[in-house]
Amino acid sequence: MVRAFGAALASSALVLGASQIAVAAPEGQPEYKVGAIDWKPCAEVPTIDCGFLELPIDYAKPHGEKFQLAVSRRKANDQAGRIGAMVINPGGPGGSGVDFSFAADRYFSKDIVDKFDVIGFDPRGVARSQPIKCSADLLRKQPSDYPKTAAEFDQLFAFNKELRADCRKQSGPIFDHASTYDVANDIDSIRRALGEKKINYYGVSYGTIMGQHYAAQYGKNIRAMIIDSNMDHSLGTWKFLETEARGAEDVFNEWVKWSDRDASSPFHGKDLRKIWKDLLAKADRGELKDPQGNVITSERLGAGVVSMGYGPAWKPFADYIATLVNGAPAAAAFAEGETFENPFPGIFCNDYNLRVSSWGEYQALNNMENRVAPNTRGSSLGHGAMMGCIGFPKATNPQRPLNIKHAPKILMTNSEHDPATVYEWAVNAHRQTRDTTVFVTYEGWGHGVYDRSECTLKINNEYMVSLKLPRNGTTCAAVEPAPQTLVQTAKVKVPAGPF
């Protein structure tokens, strides 16, 4: 569960200053006003400032109901050499930018934290910013998102409708106004409250949609922007699922290549593809179980591949699979944890109109993803995102081509073998914005590019500090990842969620 603000702010839920700043409203909407932020030491990290910004839930109704947006500020170490404010987001959907700011000095290079006030915020509906909540008892009853019959599909469809109604009831009107379009308006409200003419932005994973939307809506207010590991907000249901599946299969292939070249793999010198095929068949027969006696499905094995690809955690995953092959109890699995603060329905399902309306349509989509990615049974990430929104009404911020007109040059980066924001997405997002984005490819693995190598660090830092950009199409060579363990404690967990 996400921590709440501590006692330092407990008595100051509303910390607006007396002054009000008039703000030009989003196009076609009434003007609204933004208050100053009354900064106080954060309870968790007193050297960082925390506060709230009161903003309208619906920008079309600026005098209507408000919510409190949690904001944090890590002041630049070198105030004399300060360049400006850099707003950050770790992705998700549902990642806390406030928490991200607490670890900014461990994630970003010294050049960045010396010269920029790092500004974190919890997007509306997330963590401290009026989080979207759903009933825990209902979430525990969630059916499988891999229905095997028309009746099971209908059951999931009905469950999602019930879940949406429950989340709306538990969360209030912010549920219908938690799209990334709304968040982009909030980012500009932060800029105004800070008194900055222009801001800098770093967003990774789902944070790239926030950056893309901000650039499209408020491009003239940007000094520098890095969008790292990019979403593609132009894809329909079929292409979304197909590209995700292709990315998952690519991660599997890269894992096999690693095993062939690295003697530390328990499958080194063996036919891992044949071993994996046999394991999938065992899972499909219902004969593969975890230490608790629960059946491990082939889809769950595929989900493990996708999760493994984030690091990538090649060796730990290989060791885990070896225990399954040998019939020994597996000490740990690559699985997602559950949460009862559940921003996904209000954010992703308002951003993406991925709606599967019938059992027949689902079968066609599922058959396609299995053809594209037979070794991973499609992408658990793409599949789960799609199935999490069936039964929902149309998205309030649906997919469309990315149109950025008034922004300066933006740095766009992506790993070639990213399991989540797949490389194809970045290529397509860049194609839509080739006049405003400079695209850099990290030729290696994992989700998140910023500090993958000396090459990626140099490019990111030089651009953010000096606005020096590389040639469009620049590549950074792959660097063999350091061995990982199942529990990584030294590295800040960014990106913060599946996207």
Side-chain angles (χ1 to χ4, degrees), residues 282-283 286-296 300 324 327-330:
K282 186 176 181 180
E287 299 172 1
L288 191 63
K289 298 183 178 180
D290 64 19
Q292 290 73 42
N294 301 310
V295 173
I296 299 175
R300 184 173 163 188
L324 295 179

Side-chain angles (χ1 to χ4, degrees), residues 212 230-232 235 239-241 243-244 352 381-382 412 414 420-432 499:
Q212 292 167 10
N230 282 260
M231 301 291 293
D232 181 356
L235 300 177
K239 274 296 182 184
F240 179 90
L241 198 64
T243 51
E244 281 288 85
Y352 277 86
L381 185 53
M412 176 182 285
N414 223 89
T421 54
V422 297
Y423 188 65
E424 286 183 65
W425 288 3
V427 170
N428 198 36
H430 172 59
R431 185 180 298 120
Q432 297 165 53
F499 291 122

Side-chain angles (χ1 to χ4, degrees), residues 166-330:
D166 174 81
C167 297
R168 291 184 81 217
K169 180 180 178 181
Q170 301 290 335
S171 309
I174 201 159
F175 184 89
D176 294 328
H177 298 277
S179 79
T180 305
Y181 182 87
D182 298 300
V183 173
N185 293 330
D186 293 341
I187 293 173
D188 205 60
S189 296
I190 294 171
R191 180 190 66 81
R192 297 276 184 160
L194 293 173
E196 299 284 340
K197 185 177 180 180
K198 294 179 183 289
I199 59 167
N200 306 277
Y201 181 84
Y202 172 83
V204 59
S205 195
Y206 211 78
T208 63
I209 281 197
M210 298 175 191
Q212 292 167 10
H213 277 39
Y214 188 79
Q217 294 168 236
Y218 299 100
K220 62 183 176 57
N221 297 338
I222 297 169
R223 174 190 170 271
M225 175 176 284
I226 298 171
I227 40 180
D228 177 345
S229 307
N230 282 260
M231 301 291 293
D232 181 356
H233 195 233
S234 71
L235 300 177
T237 305
W238 188 277
K239 274 296 182 184
F240 179 90
L241 198 64
E242 181 184 18
T243 51
E244 281 288 85
R246 203 153 35 234
E249 188 75 3
D250 174 68
V251 170
F252 173 81
N253 290 332
E254 291 300 308
W255 178 56
V256 173
K257 292 176 185 176
W258 164 81
S259 182
D260 288 344
R261 69 175 179 265
D262 195 315
S264 72
S265 170
F267 303 108
H268 184 67
K270 300 178 182 178
D271 187 350
L272 180 52
R273 291 184 183 277
K274 173 66 165 56
I275 293 168
W276 182 260
K277 184 177 180 181
D278 292 344
L279 196 65
L280 287 176
K282 186 176 181 180
D284 285 336
R285 294 192 300 269
E287 299 172 1
L288 191 63
K289 298 183 178 180
D290 64 19
Q292 290 73 42
N294 301 310
V295 173
I296 299 175
T297 64
S298 56
E299 290 87 2
R300 184 173 163 188
L301 288 175
V305 172
V306 173
S307 295
M308 172 265 294
Y310 277 66
W314 286 324
K315 177 68 163 61
F317 185 66
D319 290 342
Y320 167 66
I321 295 302
T323 63
L324 295 179
V325 170
N326 296 329

Side-chain angles (χ1 to χ4, degrees), residues 20 76 137 155 167 301 303 379 399 420 482:
Q20 297 286 314
D137 288 343
Q155 182 186 9
C167 297
L301 288 175
S379 165
Q399 304 96 298

Side-chain angles (χ1 to χ4, degrees), residues 439-452:
F439 186 36
V440 172
T441 297
Y442 171 62
E443 295 177 319
W445 313 270
H447 186 43
V449 169
Y450 174 75
D451 61 350
R452 287 285 166 181

